[in-house]
Amino acid sequence: MSEAVGKRALGTPYLRVDALSKTSGRARYTDDLPMPGMHYAKYVRSTIAHGMVTSVDASQALAMPGVVAVFTCNDVPQIPFATAGHAWSLEPAKRDVADRLLLNRHVRHHGDGVAIVVARDELTAEKAAALVSVTYDELPVITSPEAALAADAPQIHSCGNLLKRTAINAESARATVSQSPFQFRGHFDTPVVQHCHMEGVTCYAWQEADNKISVVSSTQIPHIVRRVIGQALDMPWSHIRVIKPYIGGGFGNKQDVLEEPMAAWLTLKLGGIPVKVELSREECFFASRTRHAFHIDAEMGLTADGTLNGYHLDVLSNTGGYASHGHSIAAAGGNKIPYLYPRCDYGYSAATVYTNYPSAGAMRGYGAPQVTFALECLMDDAAAQLNIDPVDIRLRNAARSGDCNPVNKKTIYSAGLIECLKRGKELFGWDERKAEALATRGDIRRGVGVACFSYSSNTYPVGVEIASARLLMNQDGNINVQVGATEIGQGSDTVFSQMVAETLGVPVSTIQMISTQDTDITPFDPGAFASRQSYVTAPALKEAALSLRQKILDHASLMTHQAAFNMTILDGNVVLEAQPDVVVTTVAEVAMHSFYHQEIGGQLSAESSHKTQTNPPAFGCTFVDVTVDIPMCQVTINRIINMHDSGRILNPQLAEGQVHGGMGMGIGWALFEEMLINEKSGVVHNPNLLDYKMPTMVDLPDLECGFVETYEPQSAYGHKSLGEPPIIAPAAAIRNAVRMATGISVNTIPLTPKRLYREFVNAGLIRG
């Protein structure tokens, strides 16, 4: 059967399918869907970072009018559960670490939940929570991984403070570096930051008449939330229903199961009434998840002409009080970068450690920004010492099609990195800008920088990559599409509608995406993470669309007495394959006939579930031009461009939006953002959007991007990942530009004025 398709849908900048709903205010988020009789829960949080609860006095809170109940750490089920949003593994050793309880006697970070108050209104719940008195037996506070690994360190968890270690070809790579004619080493530190999604952490739960628990949540992973609630409450997973409406951003924070188990448990305890658990913005900082801080020791060996013989990265990752995604972040970072420079000896070792910091979890890039920062900074230092242009040294070592990943031995079928570097260099005007930068002197100096990245398109083979899709034809010929893949603002629903339209041969306007996920109805999918949605969902959508397309043609054959194999569908019309200008019937007419003919037909539908077993890398680079005001210790970005090889670009407008958003986050990570955590007490000093310096529109330069379109043969539509890659390279590129401007290698970010002041004083550029 021919796979002829209609008017081109993919590769066209179609308007987002949710654009009008969101801009008009008609989109309904979790907080827009209140229930009659809703009760509100507020946590009583620990005032210490490490210790044991010895007593809880809730008498004053319970005496307040409107307070329904107070539950303490002594009341909750003693069932440890994991919160990380990964697909379940049949192998116990590969499952996420179950180290959470709903409330904790042993508190492990400042603000840990020790009790919770339920009241008839939110204000009463807040006031009552402040009246609960808790006493503690304090333990020493550990905030650094090095201190946590000390022989005499107090144990944060019974298993010890070391969560896990990873080693990939470490000894071989170190030996290669030590035998290289030119060797370079450096230590690099990246900060703790928060996701700062516009919509906070919020959910509510109630019990249905059939005793099932329903949960409405702002989550990236509704099917995983269902499973974890079942595990935490020792209930059958199918007795939990999770509904995800529109979501106001997640960036990985909502790839954790956050407050849903608590909401579900509270409604069980209170006879099924609806109970809402919503975190304040301050609580989102210290009681949801953060990005892991990495300490990285890197070493690299090269020849005089810049050929990379080998490199090794040694990572120490701070996961905070609980595992969450834990060591998966450090391990994933090490598995995402070998594609970048594959023709060398690659080594990686990492340890993830519990401390009394707030818990770290998934965040956009999932370990790749941290390790790429170290790699690309050291590569730049090597280029400077060898007197090689930073672009040229990367061109010499960059991945090419046909190369083999040195870790998993997979062939790289599509690699546009070299073209990204060449085209980006030309668009940016690298040679001219570099010459101008090197000529600057005095207090105001310029520098240009470049950095590369590689990133995968899902989690296979570490995780199970399953996606499902269901297509239902309406009477008017429009198609309802249900997928388990979650739209969280990245535009996946729009691209899915384009995929279905192109494969069916119908206009995009006739595709209706059902954006709300409901685990009782929606086909299964783990959720939005790992830049997987468009790549992993595409095969399921394509299989379902081809099946529905054949059913349409088969029914059209019954209507018109034309052979189905002689017809195809173009722009919503059923036409002759050999004479596409001859319209036999329309898809809308086929739909009406199939529904309402007295003897033949029925609702036309198709469903597919597909497991992906390929994982091609995306590539790209960042070019940046900065001005450094040395007396003011200030960095200003004059121009910045991201270049991307994400295979075939399915919607150029959405792709550009994704890149701009990621670049903005990358710039924030490089220059502004860090959670200020007291090293002695574990207290977060800036848990709000006033003191936490996140860049706004006025702080960002014009953001530019370009695409090198390759075609990935393992992909259903030739595409690769794009969601997370834009955030990876800007920080290293900015740091490298600052190094060119000042001659100083600043290896700790963010490059705030206070950090640059110390560096400039130490280097003698300014007086202390």
Side-chain angles (χ1 to χ4, degrees), residues 493-736:
D493 278 354
T494 304
V495 171
F496 293 159
S497 68
Q498 292 177 253
M499 291 176 180
V500 173
E502 180 148 313
T503 304
L504 278 176
V506 299
V508 174
S509 60
T510 65
I511 306 300
Q512 314 224 0
M513 294 299 303
I514 310 301
S515 187
T516 297
Q517 273 72 41
D518 180 335
T519 57
D520 272 7
I521 300 168
T522 306
F524 183 83
D525 186 289
F529 53 87
S531 298
R532 63 183 291 278
Q533 297 278 241
S534 65
Y535 187 85
V536 174
T537 305
L541 281 171
K542 191 169 188 177
E543 289 171 3
L546 287 172
S547 176
L548 180 58
R549 180 178 176 274
Q550 188 59 52
K551 291 179 180 180
I552 294 170
L553 292 175
D554 288 343
H555 195 86
S557 177
L558 296 175
M559 292 171 58
T560 64
H561 305 291
Q562 292 278 352
F565 56 75
N566 283 335
M567 295 185 290
T568 190
I569 304 172
L570 295 175
D571 200 25
N573 297 315
V574 180
V575 301
L576 295 178
E577 183 90 58
Q579 296 175 278
D581 56 329
V582 177
V583 176
V584 178
T585 185
T586 67
V587 170
E589 290 169 348
V590 170
M592 288 293 286
H593 192 274
S594 67
F595 271 100
Y596 297 117
H597 191 279
Q598 287 185 324
E599 288 86 28
I600 61 173
Q603 183 174 24
L604 301 183
S605 64
E607 189 161 350
S608 175
S609 186
H610 184 276
K611 287 188 176 179
T612 292
Q613 299 177 57
T614 59
N615 192 354
F619 296 99
C621 55
T622 300
F623 289 87
V624 65
D625 179 333
V626 306
T627 296
V628 181
D629 185 326
I630 292 176
M632 294 299 292
C633 304
Q634 185 73 41
V635 177
T636 302
I637 297 176
N638 304 314
R639 190 180 186 193
I640 186 168
I641 299 177
N642 259 35
M643 299 297 299
H644 286 266
D645 161 29
S646 290
R648 183 186 181 194
I649 299 301
L650 305 180
N651 185 316
Q653 189 174 41
L654 286 184
E656 187 174 0
Q658 280 279 58
V659 173
H660 286 179
M663 292 173 72
M665 292 185 78
I667 292 168
W669 191 57
L671 296 178
F672 299 92
E673 298 182 48
E674 61 179 329
M675 286 175 60
L676 302 174
I677 303 172
N678 190 296
E679 295 300 316
K680 293 182 179 180
S681 67
V683 172
V684 179
H685 291 303
N686 59 338
N688 57 73
L689 296 181
L690 175 64
D691 298 313
Y692 180 89
K693 300 304 180 184
M694 183 175 66
T696 65
M697 291 288 288
V698 297
D699 301 306
L700 293 173
D702 290 337
L703 302 171
E704 302 175 60
C705 67
F707 298 99
V708 170
E709 290 203 58
T710 58
Y711 187 89
E712 174 51 53
Q714 301 175 102
S715 168
Y717 294 100
H719 62 295
K720 301 185 288 189
S721 66
L722 183 59
E724 292 165 276
I727 197 176
I728 299 173
I734 292 167
R735 177 272 189 190
N736 292 340

Side-chain angles (χ1 to χ4, degrees), residues 90-111:
L90 297 178
E91 301 178 46
K94 293 185 177 180
R95 294 173 189 167
D96 295 307
V97 176
D99 63 359
R100 284 269 179 178
L101 297 175
L102 294 175
L103 296 167
N104 299 286
R105 292 192 198 98
H106 185 170
V107 300
R108 298 177 172 94
H109 65 84
H110 192 276

Side-chain angles (χ1 to χ4, degrees), residues 147-167:
L149 292 176
D152 59 346
Q155 301 301 286
I156 297 172
H157 285 271
S158 59
C159 62
N161 296 339
L162 175 65
L163 182 59
K164 196 172 182 181
R165 288 187 186 273
T166 288

Side-chain angles (χ1 to χ4, degrees), residues 172-431:
S172 173
R174 286 193 181 108
T176 299
V177 171
S178 66
Q179 295 163 12
S180 296
F182 295 91
Q183 300 166 28
F184 303 91
R185 291 174 175 82
H187 178 82
F188 303 88
D189 290 305
T190 65
V192 177
V193 296
Q194 224 282 325
H195 309 69
C196 297
H197 33 72
M198 291 180 66
E199 180 192 29
V201 174
T202 181
C203 65
Y204 60 89
W206 73 96
Q207 199 166 9
E208 302 279 7
D210 59 2
N211 292 325
K212 289 182 67 169
I213 296 175
S214 291
V215 181
V216 178
S217 177
S218 176
T219 179
Q220 299 174 215
I221 49 170
H223 282 277
I224 293 175
V225 168
R226 178 179 72 161
R227 183 251 297 169
V228 173
I229 292 173
Q231 292 170 327
L233 305 187
D234 194 23
M235 294 178 61
W237 302 357
S238 60
H239 288 200
I240 313 296
R241 177 192 183 198
V242 177
I243 300 165
K244 185 234 77 168
Y246 281 92
I247 179 171
F251 306 114
N253 198 15
K254 298 173 186 176
Q255 197 203 331
D256 246 76
V257 182
L258 297 168
E259 300 305 327
E260 298 90 350
M262 175 58 82
W265 183 73
L266 289 173
T267 193
L268 274 179
K269 294 293 288 184
L270 297 173
I273 62 172
V275 181
K276 185 175 185 181
V277 183
E278 179 182 3
L279 301 189
S280 66
R281 179 60 66 181
E282 288 78 10
E283 287 177 300
C284 286
F285 272 88
F286 58 73
S288 61
R289 304 294 180 266
T290 66
R291 188 189 288 284
H292 288 75
F294 276 17
H295 305 315
I296 306 173
D297 288 304
E299 53 185 334
M300 179 179 291
L302 302 96
T303 60
D305 65 358
T307 300
L308 185 58
N309 288 339
Y311 65 98
H312 175 263
L313 304 179
D314 191 358
V315 170
L316 193 55
S317 172
N318 188 339
T319 203
Y322 297 94
S324 178
H325 286 250
H327 193 65
S328 297
I329 306 290
N335 283 314
K336 294 179 189 301
I337 60 170
Y339 287 105
L340 190 54
Y341 306 122
R343 299 181 305 280
C344 71
D345 201 354
Y346 167 73
Y348 186 80
S349 53
T352 298
V353 180
Y354 287 116
T355 69
N356 297 125
Y357 264 24
S359 296
M363 188 172 178
R364 192 176 192 173
Y366 209 84
Q370 296 98 309
V371 295
T372 301
F373 177 74
L375 172 61
E376 287 299 287
C377 291
L378 193 59
M379 178 69 86
D380 224 65
D381 291 350
Q385 291 294 317
L386 295 172
N387 197 28
I388 300 174
D389 182 89
V391 176
D392 291 342
I393 199 170
R394 290 171 171 84
L395 286 170
R396 176 173 290 277
N397 295 287
R400 307 165 186 156
S401 298
D403 280 343
C404 181
N405 181 308
V407 176
N408 62 25
K409 309 305 179 186
K410 298 292 185 181
T411 300
I412 303 171
Y413 292 104
S414 61
L417 179 55
I418 289 177
E419 186 61 28
C420 284
L421 285 164
K422 289 181 177 178
R423 193 179 301 178
K425 179 180 179 179
E426 181 181 353
L427 288 172
F428 182 73
W430 172 267
D431 290 336

